Amino acid sequence: MNLTFIDWLIMILYFVFVLGIGFALKRFMKTSKDFFQAGRALPAWICGLAFISANLGAQEVIGMGASGAKYGIATSHFYWIGAIPAMIFVGVFMMPFYYGSKARSVPEFLRLRFDEKTRAYNACSFAVMTVFSSGISMYAMARLIQTLHIFDAAFLKMNWPLEWEFHFAIFISAIIVLGYIFLGGLTSAIYNEVLQFFLIVAGFMPLVWVGLKNVGGWSGLKSALPLAYTHSWKGMTNPHDNPLGVEWFALAMGLGFVLSFGYWCTDFLVIQTAMATDTEEAARRVPLIAAIPKMFFPFLVILPGLIAIATPAMMQHAALQTPAGVSTTAALAETAGAPDKGLIPVKVNPTTGKVITDEKGQPLYDYDLAIPNMLLRYFPTGILGLGLTALLASFMSGMAGNVTAFNTVWTYDLYQSYIHKNASDAHYLSVGRWTTVVGILFSIGAAYLATSFNNIMDTLQLVFSFVNAPLFATFLLGMFWKRTTGHGAFIGLVSGTVAAIIHHGLTLPTDAHPGIHGGWIAVIHQYPSEMAQNFWTAIWAFSTNFILTVLISLMTKPRPEPELVGLVYSLTPKPVEHHMEWYARPKVIAVGLIVMVVALNLIFR
């Protein structure tokens, strides 16, 4: 890869800018509220863009492109039924509870609604999840840098092994994110997320336009792909009739309800962004504002994956990129006799350089490289630098958002609550900063663990099915059934997580090895795809939690109703909207969003 001065200049300016934001904001970080909550003083539109960008890290930009290449247009379900309905629910129903309770985090809200043990369990599980998510972003960035051979020239000049490039990229990304979060806290993360939003739009719109033009437009793309790849709902009656490997029930229940609502309604990574606004009205508008661009992001991040797999195989020799030390010719030889995957290379272990195979000995494809190879194939000098910067920005943002959520939950919900209760505010500010360092170190470990997966979206959905899926059942019952007790919530939450672990240990995706992908207890059922396994893991976790929470709550004593005002829907005064213009009311905006998302599902059915 031959990056020119212009390409390097664009990327260097981005890194200087993000670190500059951290230095500029450091003088405003005078209290723990400033550092962890951005002072609750940011406008709705800033938080709205950051709200969507908090979910627009490597897992979305690289992961959705990878899923587009692997599963086709059905990946749009992660947006049109797996995000928009839940974002509407958050804005209309959830934010009044979060913002009005003055809770500083999701675990703290659980303490207010239930009890300390429920909060402690969620704080621990959420901390683990944020570390994994941050590590996945770090891994994806390192793979990008290694695969595109960005630092090859420098390594060769210093006589360093090219295999070190993966490790070098991980530590460089860790240092940069650590720098601006350590200095500017959540505010720094939010402003960088807004910058990232515009970079991704600017970097990916030309990629989609040029890519579509080169494959003959939408009609040319459809003719180059199997029918199932260009329809989102056809074949959903049988899991073996669509690339996603799921039937409509697993899709609607597992993704559209459990995983979607579990993520957007309970994940503090996104909730903290909305809670950084200056009023409750603004906090309610944040998810609704974010839902508008979110609805159209499939055209920016999924289409490149479809284009990559539709690109004729003869272009592989010109565009295919593999990790340092593995030649394109060798990688192509490994795929002899395997299905044509366009610009998608084989999966190679980044530390050993060995081609990874399934249980049948067939090479696995590295779908995470769909978008990077698209950039190399279609972008010229200058524009290539902009595209690469957009990718790097997404990785940085994904890491930063998870690390800020980690340091907030650790400091408020674990350290302050159970280790050092009555320290000064300056002490907690210092703990938060140094917790950022710990979070980065744990993320590095998670990054190396992520090398075992060939699609980071599969990895993330697995993590979410363990943490968010059971948690959503707890929130749903806690908010809408005043009889729910703390004992029921805690036992249900733990049982839901255990159910997810057992289900994962007893099932395995087709062609996967028992182990990290499942089947580590015994294989009693095989799913057509890893995503299908994730959806059903989430369903089992949610259902187990829901049933046990209800049963335990009926056998234990509930809290008095006066203590639940502001925490249970039926006991909480409804937000007043009559003073707003009709078009600015959250419920009116919600109806408009529902109409739009239904239309998109019908168009691409």
Side-chain angles (χ1 to χ4, degrees):
M1 179 180 181
N2 296 316
L3 291 176
T4 66
F5 173 77
I6 296 175
D7 298 315
W8 280 109
L9 180 62
I10 293 172
M11 287 189 284
I12 291 171
L13 285 175
Y14 166 73
F15 290 124
V16 170
F17 191 82
V18 296
L19 288 173
I21 290 176
F23 280 104
L25 292 173
K26 182 184 177 182
R27 60 192 178 97
F28 297 105
M29 301 297 109
K30 298 177 180 179
T31 67
S32 62
K33 184 177 180 180
D34 296 329
F35 186 80
F36 294 118
Q37 299 175 276
R40 282 200 168 185
L42 299 180
W45 74 270
I46 288 285
C47 292
L49 293 180
F51 188 90
I52 185 176
S53 295
N55 181 246
L56 198 58
Q59 56 263 45
E60 177 123 1
V61 176
I62 293 295
M64 285 300 180
S67 294
K70 186 175 182 180
Y71 302 122
I73 200 67
T75 307
S76 63
H77 290 308
F78 285 92
Y79 293 83
W80 297 336
I81 71 167
I84 304 303
M87 294 169 76
I88 293 170
F89 185 82
V90 171
V92 175
F93 293 104
M94 296 288 288
M95 286 316 303
F97 291 93
Y98 282 133
Y99 202 93
S101 69
K102 303 300 180 184
R104 297 168 298 182
S105 66
V106 169
E108 188 168 65
F109 178 83
L110 289 174
R111 179 187 67 81
L112 296 172
R113 174 59 183 91
F114 298 115
D115 52 28
E116 281 289 350
K117 62 180 180 293
T118 307
R119 172 217 206 154
Y121 179 80
N122 176 243
C124 292
S125 60
F126 178 77
V128 172
M129 185 185 73
T130 54
V131 165
F132 269 100
S133 297
S134 177
I136 289 169
S137 293
M138 189 180 293
Y139 158 76
M141 180 174 180
R143 287 286 286 119
L144 174 74
I145 291 174
Q146 182 194 37
T147 302
L148 301 185
H149 308 275
I150 292 176
F151 294 121
D152 278 15
F155 271 60
L156 291 172
K157 186 175 182 180
M158 292 183 284
N159 292 318
W160 290 354
L162 293 179
E163 290 78 11
W164 289 6
E165 199 167 340
F166 179 79
H167 313 294
F168 175 78
I170 281 182
F171 285 99
I172 286 294
S173 62
I175 290 170
I176 293 174
V177 172
L178 173 63
Y180 73 79
I181 296 301
F182 190 89
L183 295 169
L186 178 61
T187 310
S188 182
I190 286 176
Y191 279 116
N192 277 298
E193 284 165 353
V194 173
L195 169 64
Q196 169 218 350
F197 174 84
F198 290 109
L199 277 173
I200 288 176
V201 172
F204 278 68
M205 284 185 70
L207 181 65
V208 172
W209 184 81
V210 174
L212 271 179
K213 182 179 179 182
N214 278 272
V215 295
W218 177 248
S219 59
L221 181 64
K222 289 177 67 175
S223 64
L225 294 172
L227 182 65
Y229 272 74
T230 56
H231 291 275
S232 60
W233 285 101
K234 285 187 177 180
M236 283 295 169
T237 56
N238 189 311
H240 299 283
D241 292 342
N242 64 83
L244 203 56
V246 300
E247 75 285 359
W248 67 269
F249 179 80
L251 180 70
M253 182 68 178
L255 174 62
F257 183 64
V258 178
L259 284 171
S260 170
F261 281 73
Y263 176 79
W264 292 101
C265 298
T266 69
D267 196 321
F268 185 56
L269 170 64
V270 292
I271 296 300
Q272 70 172 345
T273 306
M275 291 173 66
T277 53
D278 49 0
T279 66
E280 182 181 314
E281 290 179 2
R284 295 183 70 200
R285 287 197 297 270
V286 165
L288 301 176
I289 291 171
I292 299 172
K294 180 76 172 179
M295 197 177 301
F296 298 100
F297 257 86
F299 302 110
L300 281 183
V301 297
I302 295 176
L303 266 184
L306 290 171
I307 296 168
I309 205 167
T311 302
M314 63 182 180
M315 292 185 182
Q316 284 185 335
H317 295 277
L320 182 64
Q321 294 294 315
T322 57
V326 181
S327 71
T328 299
T329 303
L332 287 171
E334 292 281 357
T335 67
D340 172 29
K341 297 293 183 180
L343 297 180
I344 311 301
V346 293
K347 176 76 172 179
V348 178
N349 187 300
T351 56
T352 66
K354 184 179 179 181
V355 173
I356 301 174
T357 60
D358 61 21
E359 63 176 8
K360 296 179 181 179
Q362 293 296 315
L364 293 176
Y365 287 93
D366 201 341
Y367 293 99
D368 289 336
L369 297 180
I371 285 183
N373 279 336
M374 281 285 292
L375 292 175
L376 291 177
R377 176 69 183 88
Y378 293 117
F379 271 7
T381 298
I383 300 297
L384 177 59
L386 179 63
L388 290 175
T389 303
L391 285 179
L392 296 177
S394 73
F395 305 145
M396 294 291 188
S397 176
M399 292 166 57
N402 281 287
V403 170
T404 55
F406 173 82
N407 63 29
T408 302
V409 167
W410 166 261
T411 304
Y412 282 151
D413 295 295
L414 295 173
Y415 183 82
Q416 185 181 29
S417 298
Y418 307 112
I419 299 175
H420 201 332
K421 291 187 176 181
N422 300 310
S424 65
D425 186 76
H427 177 77
Y428 293 127
L429 175 59
S430 177
V431 168
R433 281 204 163 107
W434 288 107
T435 301
T436 303
V437 178
V438 176
I440 290 290
L441 292 176
F442 282 143
S443 298
I444 292 173
Y448 284 98
L449 185 61
T451 60
S452 299
F453 290 81
N454 72 332
N455 183 344
I456 59 177
M457 276 304 296
D458 289 342
T459 316
L460 280 168
Q461 295 306 316
L462 176 62
V463 174
F464 293 157
S465 67
F466 276 62
V467 179
N468 294 77
L471 180 60
F472 177 54
T474 302
F475 266 85
L476 195 65
L477 287 168
M479 290 181 58
F480 293 102
W481 189 39
K482 60 185 178 183
R483 186 70 177 76
T484 312
T485 67
H487 295 306
F490 176 75
I491 294 174
L493 196 55
V494 174
S495 301
T497 304
V498 171
I501 294 172
I502 292 174
H503 179 268
H504 185 258
L506 294 174
T507 62
L508 190 69
T510 302
D511 296 333
H513 295 285
I516 196 170
H517 295 276
W520 42 272
I521 299 175
V523 181
I524 64 173
H525 181 74
Q526 284 195 313
Y527 288 102
S529 70
E530 202 157 348
M531 201 62 76
Q533 182 194 36
N534 294 337
F535 290 172
W536 279 105
T537 299
I539 292 171
W540 277 98
F542 174 87
S543 302
T544 301
N545 186 354
F546 192 94
I547 293 170
L548 286 179
T549 300
V550 170
L551 293 176
I552 301 298
S553 294
L554 290 173
M555 294 186 290
T556 52
K557 183 180 179 180
R559 292 175 60 187
E561 289 190 4
E563 296 181 8
L564 299 177
V565 175
L567 299 171
V568 176
Y569 187 77
S570 61
L571 302 177
T572 302
K574 305 303 179 287
V576 177
E577 297 183 358
H578 63 264
H579 63 287
M580 304 180 189
E581 295 292 342
W582 68 269
Y583 54 81
R585 297 174 184 176
K587 290 181 181 178
V588 174
I589 300 173
V591 171
L593 290 169
I594 291 171
V595 171
M596 293 169 66
V597 79
V598 169
L600 285 169
N601 273 285
L602 291 174
I603 292 170
F604 292 95
R605 67 184 185 281

